[in-house]
Amino acid sequence: MLSTHGLQAFYGDAQALFGIDFEVEAGELVAIIGANGAGKSTFLKALCGLVKAPRDAIRFKGEPVGGLAPGEIVRRGLALVPEGRRLFPSLSVEENLLMGANSRRAGPWNLRRVYELFPVLLEKRRQPGTSLSGGQQQMVAIGRALMSNPELLLCDELSLGLAPIVIREIYAALPKITQEGMTAVVVEQDVQMAQQVSQRLYCFQEGKVSLSGASSSVTREQVARAYFGV
Ligand code: ATP
């Protein structure tokens, strides 16, 4: 579905990614773990056109897409749930969800399906999105991304600032989404959660892949070494 080959990324003169080789196949849920500053967010931003990348370094459904405008990449079937949720503060829950339908593609996701996935959002649909709890805001951010009917969903740190019980609730939604045939890449600092929900994982360290493999077979020691470089 999506692959990168030797992907490099820069902020001005500062290099953030040093040749990332990555692959996610249709229907897979792949996790990316790694310490602060390892380059995980930069990688997701490069995939969706928010950070510049050479055209051939990223292929989506067989086509080179590196450096395309974010709107064009969304139209081709990729959506991002950004770090920190980024809801529109003046809009209600439902209006926030509808913003995701601006670049709507044909597919199963609509308001009714999002409310089935997260019933609490139906109850609160007329409230300002930012008046909800952190976990509920995260549900809105996921729902908004689903409203464009992406084939590939990218999620950046879904667990950020949330209590463990809320994190479990949010993550319980992911298999329901991928069961419908969607592919997902989740960036996650919570290694245990990342390992539980994903089929494969990558660990980034200082802008490089330090470990990749089946999530069920990588050991705690391997992760510790790949994460901290010890
Ligand atoms: P975190 O979990 O803290 O978000 P991360 O793994 O997502 O970490 P990135 O945010 O991708 O890491 O950062 C990778 C590197 O790029 C870091 O050295 C960071 O300081 C740098 N960086 C990130 N964003 C910018 C920016 N807008 N301008 C300059 N440098 C940046």
Side-chain angles (χ1 to χ4, degrees):
M1 162 114 351
L2 179 132
S3 60
T4 71
H5 310 278
L7 175 62
Q8 304 191 25
F10 297 83
Y11 294 102
D13 290 337
Q15 189 163 1
L17 299 180
F18 296 81
I20 302 279
D21 293 326
F22 175 93
E23 193 163 13
V24 54
E25 287 177 21
E28 263 192 318
L29 202 167
V30 168
I32 303 174
I33 59 172
N36 280 336
K40 308 177 299 296
S41 297
T42 303
F43 181 69
L44 291 193
K45 285 180 187 158
L47 298 186
C48 52
L50 296 168
V51 163
K52 263 180 87 169
R55 181 64 52 98
D56 282 327
I58 307 173
R59 296 187 87 83
F60 182 43
K61 295 187 289 180
E63 304 273 327
V65 297
L68 290 184
E72 173 59 25
I73 295 181
V74 171
R75 272 191 292 282
R76 288 174 185 230
L78 191 143
L80 173 71
V81 182
E83 187 171 358
R85 348 259 200 232
R86 307 274 168 85
L87 301 190
F88 298 96
S90 58
L91 300 185
S92 69
V93 166
E94 188 152 299
E95 286 165 340
N96 264 286
L97 292 173
L98 288 170
M99 289 302 279
N102 278 345
S103 0
R104 197 169 161 71
R105 300 151 39 84
W109 290 98
N110 52 30
L111 275 179
R112 187 178 57 78
R113 295 294 309 281
V114 170
Y115 290 143
E116 277 170 16
L117 184 66
F118 299 121
V120 67
L121 299 187
L122 177 63
E123 275 165 45
K124 307 210 166 192
R125 67 186 184 282
R126 309 247 176 266
Q127 293 188 22
T130 44
S131 70
L132 271 54
S133 70
Q136 291 164 352
Q137 290 193 34
Q138 190 60 274
M139 293 172 191
V140 177
I142 295 170
R144 182 179 57 188
L146 291 175
M147 288 290 286
S148 70
N149 274 302
E151 289 170 66
L152 175 59
L153 183 69
L154 308 177
C155 302
D156 199 354
E157 304 256 4
L158 295 178
S159 68
L160 196 75
L162 302 180
I165 185 165
V166 182
I167 297 173
R168 279 197 292 278
E169 194 185 346
I170 299 280
Y171 269 98
L174 282 188
K176 294 184 197 162
I177 295 167
T178 51
Q179 266 160 24
E180 309 250 349
M182 200 179 293
T183 308
V185 175
V186 297
V187 158
E188 186 49 70
Q189 290 246 5
D190 183 330
V191 175
Q192 238 183 337
M193 185 54 77
Q195 225 169 337
Q196 270 172 28
V197 298
S198 62
Q199 283 110 47
R200 284 191 306 117
L201 64 76
Y202 288 80
C203 185
F204 284 13
Q205 194 194 331
E206 294 178 357
K208 302 187 184 108
V209 173
S210 54
L211 174 72
S212 67
S215 306
S216 54
S217 64
V218 298
T219 64
R220 208 178 269 235
E221 289 71 28
Q222 282 175 314
V223 169
R225 215 174 311 127
Y227 206 93
F228 301 111
V230 291

